[in-house]
């Protein structure tokens, strides 16, 4: 079952080396995911295995860990009250693969909320239009 999310959450890699990996988890409006539960998985040839369980991010949404020697691929998952951000990290390459819940939007949180209400109002308007057409058709038949 997919995780429900009130708004977008993201995770960025701040530092990536063979001696340290540091990530930052944050909400779409830029607020940090403070005290979020962090799980780290090693991605190997046989799938994922849990490496670090139930750690927490700091007050600024940061979390860092020391990679296992000989392992290059990791998945870091931050979750907080139904919000979930994931990041796959390959320390042997210069880039990392991003996957987060929600949509990637550069809108501020307040604008995203207003846009969400706009979508809901549009759906309600279509429903009222269909209802009005049915009532008109029923009235014309009588």
């Amino acid at each position: 079952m997919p995780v429900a999310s009130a708004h977008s959450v993201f995770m960025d890699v701040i530092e990536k080396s063979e001696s340290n990996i540091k990530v930052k988890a944050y909400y779409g409006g830029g607020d940090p995911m403070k005290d979020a539960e962090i799980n780290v998985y090693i991605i190997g040839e046989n799938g994922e295995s849990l490496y670090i369980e139930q750690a927490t991010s700091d007050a600024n949404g940061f979390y860092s860990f020391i990679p296992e020697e000989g392992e290059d691929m990791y998945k870091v998952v931050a979750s907080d009250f139904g919000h979930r951000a994931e990041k796959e990290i390959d320390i042997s390459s210069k880039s990392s693969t991003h996957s987060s819940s929600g949509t990637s939007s550069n809108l501020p949180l307040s604008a995203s909320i207003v846009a969400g209400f706009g979508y809901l109002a549009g759906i309600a308007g279509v429903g009222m239009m269909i209802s009005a057409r049915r009532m008109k058709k029923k009235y014309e038949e009588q």
Side-chain angles (χ1 to χ4, degrees):
M1 183 168 179
V3 176
S5 176
H7 49 85
S8 303
V9 290
F10 302 96
M11 185 178 295
D12 292 333
V13 176
I14 305 301
E15 180 182 337
K16 178 175 72 166
S17 69
E18 291 181 8
S19 61
N20 190 44
I21 296 175
K22 185 175 186 178
V23 296
K24 180 178 182 179
Y26 57 96
Y27 295 102
D31 295 330
M33 287 181 71
K34 63 181 178 180
D35 301 321
E37 182 180 303
I38 306 288
N39 290 311
V40 180
Y41 301 86
I42 294 174
I43 303 173
E45 293 176 7
N46 300 327
E48 297 177 359
S49 61
L50 187 61
Y51 177 52
I52 299 171
E53 183 177 20
Q54 295 182 348
T56 55
S57 62
D58 67 12
N60 296 314
F62 291 104
Y63 178 73
S64 63
F65 65 96
I66 299 169
E68 178 87 9
E69 188 173 325
E71 298 293 340
D72 291 333
M73 288 291 297
Y74 296 88
K75 179 169 83 170
V76 181
V77 179
S79 54
D80 185 39
F81 297 109
H83 297 87
R84 180 180 166 116
E86 295 180 7
K87 188 79 165 181
E88 287 185 9
I89 304 166
D90 183 356
I91 61 173
S92 66
S93 75
K94 298 217 183 248
S95 65
S96 58
T97 312
H98 182 81
S99 61
S100 67
S101 64
T103 58
S104 64
S105 170
N106 293 329
L107 291 175
L109 178 59
S110 58
S112 296
I113 291 171
V114 171
F117 283 123
Y119 289 124
L120 293 175
I123 291 169
V126 169
M128 286 189 280
M129 184 179 71
I130 292 169
S131 176
R133 285 185 179 177
R134 286 183 183 165
M135 289 174 62
K136 180 180 176 188
K137 186 175 183 180
K138 187 177 180 181
Y139 175 76
E140 288 173 349
E141 289 176 357
Q142 291 181 357

